[in-house]
């Protein structure tokens, strides 16, 4: 029992210490992490009963509740339907599924549903080393769990993007059921429009994985995949979309082909891959949806501006920032080749010691197996932007990073300055401080 008690106390202490460390003392630059507003956090706390409840069953073609197999659902059904309608409104589409517990789950449901409907087990994707997510790859979910045959699209390392002409030939030769675009290292919009017409030739569905860029899409700062021809958009709700951890899928139900596909995806969501829905996320997802509807344009614009400012500044100060001839990035991310300074592993570790948290990353020209010490780091600006960083703050942050990366100062020495700097950003912008504040703000729109 003593061991048991000790483990629990260690866990509580680590949980408390974590909140202090990462929320208050670190500058968070991991591109896949989100930044929730106080109102989103409050909504999560308000939903503690919901967090214990079950809701399982089918949805209809509007993404609403169709059948549920438990009693006690009268408010739960309203919550599920409102959450779906808010998301559809934000992304200007007529179908969604908000029941996914993560972006990987959204990919699972979409890849499985579509490969079943098309009776075609081939999927073409960007290569993993060029930014695709492991769930797209033959070594991950798509290959090892779903048994799909994965064929890589061609990638142009100079352009940092998918090579349209060579990829079109690959799609025509492979005749896949799915063409999946979107990525984890995602600097520039993918050629959705260009590859859509090729996918149509072979009757393939186009899936766009917006896990990273969903919030930027909402803010109109990145390509709008549904308007460019994607049939399905899968995403996380906790990266640039500033909600609780979860996933969603979007689509436009416009014809019988899409109806068949949506039914296939819905069937994979329930009953194939969920029982309960983890309901307590949904009101908090809805708060984040409203925040993006109201402030998403400004938030997305500043996020991209901050990323571009950092790209220019790091480049001017001697770092090999990718995409120089294209303005470094059109998203919230930067990729930097740090081989000259010991590689991604050393740089990420030393920055961690200075309380600047980011991740090492394979770059498109790296050997895919070199994950231990890849050439690059990936830097994401969505968290600092939401905390209020503007261009001058970004440049100061870059100076701190440069001093560590270039071995000019010891990480421990820089850490004190990072903590002091972080203290100046103790608010969350482009969002609400409380649920009450959100309601008051929205009341003016009620007739
Ligand atoms: C492109 C892409 N898709 C899917 C995922 C998986 O999302 P989640 O972590 O929500 O499962 C990620 C994660 O970072 C990603 O980068």
């Amino acid at each position: 029992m003593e061991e048991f008690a000790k483990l629990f106390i260690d866990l509580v202490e680590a949980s408390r210490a974590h909140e202090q460390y990462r929320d208050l003392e670190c500058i968070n630059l991991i591109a896949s992490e989100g930044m929730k507003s106080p109102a989103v956090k409050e909504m999560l706390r308000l939903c503690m009963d919901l967090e214990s409840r079950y809701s399982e069953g089918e949805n209809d073609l509007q993404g609403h509740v169709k059948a549920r197999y438990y009693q006690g659902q009268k408010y739960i059904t309203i919550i599920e339907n409102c959450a779906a309608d808010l998301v559809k409104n934000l992304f200007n589409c007529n179908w969604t599924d908000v029941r996914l517990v993560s972006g990987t789950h959204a990919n699972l449901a979409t890849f499985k549903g579509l490969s079943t409907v098309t009776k075609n087990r081939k999927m073409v994707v960007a290569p993993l080393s060029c930014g695709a997510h492991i769930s797209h790859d033959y070594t991950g979910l798509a290959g090892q769990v779903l048994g799909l045959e994965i064929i890589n699209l061609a990638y142009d390392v100079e352009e940092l993007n998918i090579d349209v002409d060579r990829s079109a030939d690959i799609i025509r030769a492979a005749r896949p059921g799915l063409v999946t675009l979107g990525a984890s290292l995602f600097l520039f919009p993918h050629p959705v429009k260009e590859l859509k017409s090729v996918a149509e030739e072979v009757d393939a569905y186009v899936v766009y994985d917006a896990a990273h860029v969903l919030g930027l899409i909402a803010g109109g700062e990145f390509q709008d995949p549904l308007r460019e021809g994607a049939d399905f958009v899968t995403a996380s709700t906790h990266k640039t979309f500033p909600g609780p951890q979860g996933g969603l899928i979007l689509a436009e139900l416009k014809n019988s082909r899409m109806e068949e596909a949506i039914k296939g995806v819905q069937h994979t969501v329930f009953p194939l891959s969920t029982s309960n829905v983890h309901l307590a996320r949904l009101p908090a997802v809805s708060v984040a949806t409203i925040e993006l509807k109201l402030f998403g344009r400004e938030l997305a614009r500043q996020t991209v501006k901050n990323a571009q400012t950092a790209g220019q500044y790091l480049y001017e100060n001697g770092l090999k920032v990718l995409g120089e001839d294209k303005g470094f990035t059109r998203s919230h991310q930067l990729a930097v080749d740090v081989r000259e300074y010991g590689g991604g592993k050393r740089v990420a570790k030393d920055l961690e010691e200075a309380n600047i948290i980011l991740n090492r990353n394979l770059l498109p020209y790296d050997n895919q197996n070199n994950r231990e010490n890849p050439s690059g780091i990936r830097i994401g600006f969505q968290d600092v932007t939401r905390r209020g960083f503007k261009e001058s703050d970004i440049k100061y942050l870059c100076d701190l990073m440069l001093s560590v990366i270039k071995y000019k100062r010891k990480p421990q020495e820089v850490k004190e300055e990072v903590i002091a700097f972080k203290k100046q950003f103790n608010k969350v912008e482009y969002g609400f401080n409380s649920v009450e504040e959100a309601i008051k703000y929205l009341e003016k729109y009620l007739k």
Side-chain angles (χ1 to χ4, degrees), residues 244-301:
Q245 291 182 332
L248 54 76
I249 311 174
L250 310 169
E252 186 66 22
L253 170 52
K254 51 187 174 227
N255 52 34
S256 57
R257 180 176 180 268
M258 280 305 293
E259 180 174 331
E260 189 193 14
I262 285 172
K263 284 181 176 164
V265 173
Q266 280 180 320
H267 181 69
T268 313
V269 177
F270 179 87
L272 296 194
S273 68
T274 46
S275 168
N276 191 20
V277 171
H278 297 190
L279 288 158
R281 286 179 297 111
L282 298 183
V285 168
S286 303
V287 175
T289 304
I290 286 164
E291 290 175 334
L292 288 187
K293 179 89 180 171
L294 296 169
F295 316 118
R297 189 161 291 276
E298 243 182 300
L299 171 61
R301 197 173 289 155

Side-chain angles (χ1 to χ4, degrees), residues 32 102-105 107 133 135-136 182-184 209 211-212 236 238-239 246 378:
S32 58
S102 68
T104 301
H105 186 196
N107 282 345
H133 187 248
S135 60
H136 306 174
S184 299
D209 184 337
H212 267 269
S236 309
H238 51 267
K239 294 181 169 73
R378 186 183 64 171

Side-chain angles (χ1 to χ4, degrees), residues 297-401:
R297 189 161 291 276
E298 243 182 300
L299 171 61
R301 197 173 289 155
Q302 190 63 46
T303 303
V304 176
K305 200 193 272 181
N306 281 347
Q308 289 171 340
T309 300
Q312 182 68 32
Y313 194 77
L314 293 172
Y315 179 77
E316 281 167 6
N317 282 278
L319 291 197
K320 197 172 167 218
V321 186
L322 271 56
E324 178 231 334
D325 55 335
K326 282 181 276 296
F328 304 102
T329 186
R330 298 263 301 279
S331 77
H332 60 303
Q333 305 180 0
L334 286 180
V336 186
D337 185 329
V338 288
R339 271 177 296 180
E340 203 184 328
Y341 302 102
K345 185 177 178 179
R346 178 256 139 186
V347 167
K349 185 88 197 53
D350 278 5
L351 287 170
E352 180 185 40
E353 276 181 43
N355 279 21
I356 297 172
I357 309 293
L358 48 67
N359 63 285
R360 61 185 181 225
N361 219 91
L362 284 171
L363 297 180
Y365 42 80
D366 276 348
N367 176 341
Q368 192 152 312
N369 299 319
N370 188 21
R371 291 200 202 153
E372 203 26 48
N373 188 18
S375 303
I377 52 171
R378 186 183 64 171
I379 318 177
F381 293 87
Q382 70 290 352
D383 182 306
V384 291
T385 303
R386 232 185 166 209
R387 291 181 199 259
F389 277 49
K390 298 287 187 307
E391 290 87 318
S392 57
D393 310 307
I394 291 290
K395 287 180 186 168
Y396 178 66
L397 168 62
C398 288
D399 282 333
L400 294 173
M401 293 170 73

Side-chain angles (χ1 to χ4, degrees), residues 35-152:
M35 178 66 212
K36 296 188 287 299
S37 70
V40 169
K41 290 182 185 172
E42 183 192 343
M43 198 48 124
L44 284 172
R45 288 194 299 275
L46 276 175
C47 293
M48 283 298 105
D49 181 85
L50 198 56
E51 214 268 333
S52 307
R53 300 302 159 202
Y54 260 72
S55 167
E56 59 171 61
E58 284 82 17
N59 279 5
D60 66 18
L61 286 169
Q62 294 175 328
H64 290 156
V65 168
K66 180 173 163 193
R68 290 292 181 267
Y69 301 116
Y70 290 110
Q71 303 312 123
Q73 302 284 313
K74 69 177 167 185
Y75 297 116
I76 291 175
T77 295
I78 296 173
I79 290 166
E80 290 194 66
N81 290 347
C82 287
D85 285 345
L86 287 164
V87 165
K88 287 190 294 184
N89 179 298
L90 180 66
F91 291 102
N92 189 19
C93 62
N94 63 10
W95 179 81
T96 187
D97 203 315
V98 292
R99 296 176 291 175
L100 296 309
V101 298
S102 68
T104 301
H105 186 196
N107 282 345
L108 183 152
T110 307
F111 298 164
K112 169 74 183 164
L114 295 180
S115 59
T116 303
V117 163
T118 57
K119 299 187 181 63
N120 184 333
R121 307 196 65 73
K122 289 186 194 165
M123 175 163 84
V124 297
V125 300
L128 195 60
S129 57
C130 301
H133 187 248
I134 180 85
S135 60
H136 306 174
D137 196 57
Y138 70 94
T139 58
L141 168 85
Q144 301 303 309
V145 179
L146 299 177
L148 300 183
E149 184 186 334
I150 301 302
I151 300 140
N152 280 343

